[in-house]
Amino acid sequence: MEVKTSLLDNMIGVGDMVLLEPLNEDSFIENLRSRFDHNEIYTYIGSVVISMNPYRSLPIYTPQKVEEYRNRNFYELSPHIYALADEAYRSLRDQDKDQCILITGESGAGKTEASKLVMSYVAAVCGKGQEVNKVKEQLLQSNPVLEAFGNAKTMRNDNSSRFYGAALYS
């Protein structure tokens, strides 16, 4: 008889901060640091995805990863931006609910890259032809508006974008 192991058995640190005990600032930061040190750059807080920019390429954005996260339960696999993108896309497709993904962070945090990852994931899973073009056009039209909400003067930049986002409309 084959013994099935839980995803949690092989996870570095705690993948969802909701489950972190004790939950305090030190344990929170240490959990993020431990996961980051093992190239686990995504961590959840419930349905929120925390992303830490590794400032280098990681092999976690392949076509195989897209298929791995496609049509899966949000918590079924390790935390990943593809899980969030898939959840938003399926809610749009199956329940006809408009979706908005808000991406926030300091200058250089990876907001633009995260937005591109969401868009590329949705483009990869939504099929071919007119549906893909419609989704891509919606995403492209929404980004300048969403980015403009967060522009502000910071220590690093006179017009730093602190928010970036992707919106999907039915």
Side-chain angles (χ1 to χ4, degrees), residues 35-41 52-61 113:
R35 292 180 56 73
F36 183 81
D37 288 346
H38 289 89
N39 295 326
E40 295 286 344
I41 64 167
M52 295 180 59
N53 191 341
Y55 296 102
R56 61 188 166 86
S57 290
L58 295 175
I60 59 174
Y61 307 110
E113 188 62 28

Side-chain angles (χ1 to χ4, degrees), residues 76-127:
E76 190 174 346
L77 300 171
S78 295
H80 199 290
I81 198 164
Y82 286 172
L84 180 69
D86 189 71
E87 187 79 12
Y89 173 68
R90 286 188 296 121
S91 291
L92 174 72
R93 181 192 67 199
D94 300 342
Q95 300 169 15
D96 204 28
K97 291 183 179 178
D98 293 345
Q99 300 295 306
C100 179
I101 297 171
L102 179 64
I103 300 168
T104 182
E106 291 186 0
S107 181
K111 297 176 299 298
T112 302
E113 188 62 28
S115 185
K116 288 178 187 176
L117 290 167
V118 169
M119 289 187 276
S120 67
Y121 179 87
V122 171
V125 300
C126 73

Side-chain angles (χ1 to χ4, degrees), residues 114-167:
S115 185
K116 288 178 187 176
L117 290 167
V118 169
M119 289 187 276
S120 67
Y121 179 87
V122 171
V125 300
C126 73
K128 301 208 182 314
Q130 192 171 2
E131 184 183 5
V132 171
N133 291 336
K134 178 183 173 190
V135 170
K136 283 182 183 177
E137 188 60 32
Q138 289 170 344
L139 289 169
L140 291 172
Q141 287 177 3
S142 68
N143 282 332
V145 174
L146 292 170
E147 185 175 4
F149 281 115
N151 287 347
K153 184 173 183 174
T154 68
M155 299 281 287
R156 297 182 190 163
N157 192 329
D158 277 348
N159 192 26
S160 178
S161 173
R162 293 170 293 141
F163 300 99
Y164 211 87

Side-chain angles (χ1 to χ4, degrees), residues 62-91:
T62 64
Q64 293 81 11
K65 278 288 182 191
V66 169
E67 287 306 313
E68 186 179 335
Y69 280 85
R70 185 179 192 158
N71 292 319
R72 300 295 282 270
N73 181 291
F74 187 75
Y75 298 104
E76 190 174 346
L77 300 171
S78 295
H80 199 290
I81 198 164
Y82 286 172
L84 180 69
D86 189 71
E87 187 79 12
Y89 173 68
R90 286 188 296 121
S91 291

